[in-house]
């Protein structure tokens, strides 16, 4: 047994996760009634969700409190990359929806969910989350509120003595260690998640919405494998795919099965550490990205809205389609501030075309039917790109610094 455990620990985490996926599929097909297997997935996601808020609070506080005056972070560049990616996702989804229009057999079943009435309502909700009680923010995993309190406490503790700052860093390191322990259980957790997904939903329920799924997933894959690599290349001027594949493999796979950007924050933190990124930057950019970097949500909002438009035979001009891209990007950035995520922002986008709330909520119902795959791909794209753009900003900065060093050297040689 000791030899087996040793060999298991020597395998890379990605290989162990793939083994967990295979075992989950085999168990779901061979013993579908063994419902107890699904508890491994529930426990794993619950553990990640439990540790993530505390990790974010302590990491951000420690990073800001210990930040040395004059040292630079890349937050401005990262925020620009988040915004560009989210807007392009909405725009590409609009273009693809025009090339491959999808009509729906509208379904009910969206329940008594209440969507936001306007973008102002979404932004207002986010503002109220900023001033949430810190204990309440931790309990409800309100990352906007957690970030706000972490920043304020970090700034307030900048003037504290070294013993206080060291204690804060030690608490941060301790929680990070707990996260590493939890992540080692990922293969068993994902085995349970795969088992639960297959036995609870199957594939048959998705066949009637194949074309809609193809458009949604196609847009997200195009973003992940074409657009995002292009953005990375334009910033770092070298082959982006090693970094892209690494992020998709080590962050995207876990996010695909947990279907929670919040639960994937510890995974992304660990990947940033593995890539050797600046802790002062990624301790802020990763939880912030889990809140506002929502390219997958922008795709979902645009595709489902235009599916409703095509179903009703509404003519759309280029200007309105461009407005939809902007609205999708803005709404997606506020998706985490609305109960129900990106699907409940579809009625807001539908209102741009005068589509009634009753019909829009039927489209939301369709979204919930295909939600197993839609949400998995959406979360994988969103979460993996948090690390991708954090790394891109840092590598781009180092590249520019290297160019300046070379220019200085050449100037000195020329002067000599």
């Amino acid at each position: 047994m000791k030899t087996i455990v040793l060999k298991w620990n020597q395998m890379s985490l990605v290989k162990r996760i793939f083994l967990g996926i295979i075992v989950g599929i085999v168990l779901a097909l061979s013993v579908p009634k063994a419902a107890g297997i699904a508890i491994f997935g529930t426990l794993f996601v619950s553990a990640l969700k439990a540790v993530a808020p505390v990790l974010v609070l302590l990491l951000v506080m420690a990073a800001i409190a210990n930040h040395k005056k004059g040292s630079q972070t890349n937050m401005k560049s990262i925020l620009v990359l988040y915004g560009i990616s989210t807007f392009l996702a909405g725009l590409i989804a609009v273009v693809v929806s025009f090339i491959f229009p999808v009509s729906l057999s509208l379904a009910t079943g969206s329940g008594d969910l209440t969507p936001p009435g306007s973008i102002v309502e979404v932004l207002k909700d986010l503002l109220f989350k900023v001033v949430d009680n810190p204990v309440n923010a931790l309990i409800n995993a309100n990352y906007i509120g957690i970030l706000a309190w972490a920043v304020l406490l970090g700034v307030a503790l900048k003037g504290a003595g070294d013993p206080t700052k060291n204690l804060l860093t030690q608490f941060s390191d301790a929680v990070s260690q707990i996260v590493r322990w939890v992540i080692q259980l990922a293969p068993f957790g994902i085995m349970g998640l795969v088992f639960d997904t297959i036995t609870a939903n199957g594939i048959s329920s998705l066949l009637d919405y194949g074309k809609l799924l193809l458009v949604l997933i196609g847009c997200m894959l195009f973003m992940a494998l074409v657009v995002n690599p292009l953005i990375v290349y334009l910033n770092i001027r070298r082959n982006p795919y090693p970094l892209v594949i690494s992020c998709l493999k080590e962050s995207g796979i876990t996010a695909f099965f947990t279907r929670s950007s919040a639960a994937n924050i510890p995974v992304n933190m660990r990947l940033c550490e593995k890539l050797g990124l600046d802790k002062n930057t990624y301790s802020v950019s990763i939880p912030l990205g889990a809140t506002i970097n929502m390219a997958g949500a922008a795709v979902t909002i645009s595709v489902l809205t235009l599916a409703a438009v095509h179903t009703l035979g509404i003519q759309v001009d280029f200007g309105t389609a461009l407005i939809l891209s902007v609205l999708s990007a803005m709404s997606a950035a506020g998706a985490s501030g609305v109960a129900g995520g990106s699907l409940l922002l579809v009625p807001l986008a539908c209102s741009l075309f005068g589509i009634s709330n009753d019909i829009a909520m039927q489209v939301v119902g369709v979204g919930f039917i295909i939600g197993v795959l839609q949400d998995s791909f959406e979360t994988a794209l969103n979460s993996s790109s948090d690390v991708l753009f954090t790394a891109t900003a840092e590598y781009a900065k180092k590249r520019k610094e290297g160019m300046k060093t070379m220019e200085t050297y050449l100037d000195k040689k020329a002067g000599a």
Side-chain angles (χ1 to χ4, degrees):
M1 178 62 71
K2 187 177 180 180
T3 305
I4 293 172
V5 171
L6 187 62
K7 286 184 177 180
W8 173 260
N9 288 331
Q10 287 174 344
M11 290 175 62
S12 71
L13 183 63
V14 174
K15 288 181 181 178
R16 282 183 276 161
I17 287 174
F18 274 118
L19 276 176
I21 293 170
I22 293 168
V23 172
I25 293 170
V26 171
L27 290 173
L29 296 176
S30 58
V31 284
K33 292 185 178 179
I37 296 171
I39 197 172
F40 288 102
T42 306
L43 285 171
F44 175 64
V45 174
S46 297
L48 284 175
K49 286 183 176 179
V51 74
V54 181
L55 176 70
V56 169
L57 179 69
L58 290 173
L59 275 177
V60 175
M61 278 175 59
I64 294 175
N66 288 288
H67 181 70
K68 298 290 187 292
K69 203 171 183 179
S71 60
Q72 298 294 316
T73 62
N74 305 307
M75 284 307 303
K76 187 185 291 185
S77 301
I78 294 168
L79 288 173
V80 170
L81 291 172
Y82 285 170
I84 290 172
S85 175
T86 304
F87 170 71
L88 289 177
L91 182 61
I92 286 166
V94 167
V95 172
V96 172
S97 293
F98 274 103
I99 298 172
F100 304 103
V102 177
S103 295
L104 305 173
S105 298
L106 294 179
T108 55
S110 55
D112 56 355
L113 300 169
T114 305
S118 66
I119 193 70
V120 174
E121 191 174 327
V122 174
L123 295 174
K124 186 175 77 171
D125 185 68
L126 286 176
L127 285 173
F128 276 110
K129 285 189 177 293
V130 170
V131 295
D132 193 10
N133 179 287
V135 177
N136 192 54
L138 282 169
I139 292 172
N140 295 311
N142 165 19
Y143 285 93
I144 288 287
I146 292 169
L147 275 171
W149 277 102
V151 169
L152 289 172
L153 288 169
V155 170
L157 288 169
K158 283 180 76 70
D162 287 339
T164 302
K165 291 181 179 179
N166 290 338
L167 183 63
L168 195 58
T169 301
Q170 288 166 4
F171 268 116
S172 173
D173 292 341
V175 176
S176 297
Q177 180 59 50
I178 293 171
V179 168
R180 286 190 278 272
W181 291 337
V182 172
I183 290 173
Q184 290 304 311
L185 301 174
F188 304 101
I190 287 176
M191 176 194 71
L193 289 168
V194 170
F195 178 89
D196 186 45
T197 299
I198 294 175
T199 54
N201 300 285
I203 304 299
S204 59
S205 63
L206 305 175
L207 295 179
D208 292 339
Y209 301 96
K211 188 176 180 182
L212 178 61
L213 271 171
L214 282 175
V215 172
L216 277 167
I217 294 171
C219 288
M220 292 179 194
L221 289 176
F222 187 77
M223 280 298 302
L225 299 174
V226 179
V227 178
N228 284 351
L230 181 59
I231 294 172
V232 174
Y233 172 77
L234 291 173
N235 281 272
I236 67 174
R237 301 292 179 176
R238 66 171 188 256
N239 182 7
Y241 283 98
L243 178 60
V244 170
I245 298 303
S246 177
C247 291
L248 288 173
K249 187 170 68 173
E250 301 199 32
S251 171
I253 290 174
T254 311
F256 182 91
F257 290 106
T258 60
R259 291 159 60 189
S260 169
S261 293
N264 214 47
I265 287 175
V267 178
N268 283 349
M269 293 282 196
R270 183 177 180 273
L271 178 55
C272 286
E273 183 182 0
K274 184 177 177 181
L275 292 172
L277 303 182
D278 180 11
K279 192 174 182 179
N280 287 332
T281 300
Y282 74 71
S283 62
V284 178
S285 69
I286 294 302
L288 187 62
T291 305
I292 66 169
N293 184 31
M294 295 287 174
V299 168
T300 298
I301 294 165
S302 293
V303 169
L304 286 177
T305 299
L306 287 177
V309 167
H310 291 135
T311 300
L312 298 172
I314 298 172
Q315 297 299 314
V316 181
D317 57 37
F318 177 77
T320 308
L322 189 62
I323 292 171
L324 174 61
S325 303
V326 176
L327 181 63
S328 295
M330 291 177 65
S331 300
S336 64
V338 180
S342 60
L343 289 176
L344 277 186
L345 292 168
V346 171
L348 171 59
C350 282
S351 67
L352 182 65
F353 302 94
I355 297 172
S356 70
N357 193 57
D358 289 342
I359 293 175
M361 287 306 288
Q362 289 185 52
V363 177
V364 173
V366 172
F368 279 115
I369 292 171
I370 62 170
V372 176
L373 286 177
Q374 170 266 324
D375 197 30
S376 294
F377 277 95
E378 180 181 312
T379 309
L381 172 61
N382 292 342
S383 196
S384 62
S385 61
D386 294 345
V387 182
L388 180 68
F389 292 137
T390 298
T392 297
E394 186 159 330
Y395 294 161
K397 180 185 175 185
K398 288 178 180 177
R399 171 179 163 268
K400 289 176 183 176
E401 288 173 349
M403 289 174 64
K404 286 179 181 177
T405 303
M406 179 60 71
E407 287 172 2
T408 303
Y409 172 76
L410 290 173
D411 287 343
K412 287 181 178 178
K413 291 286 286 183

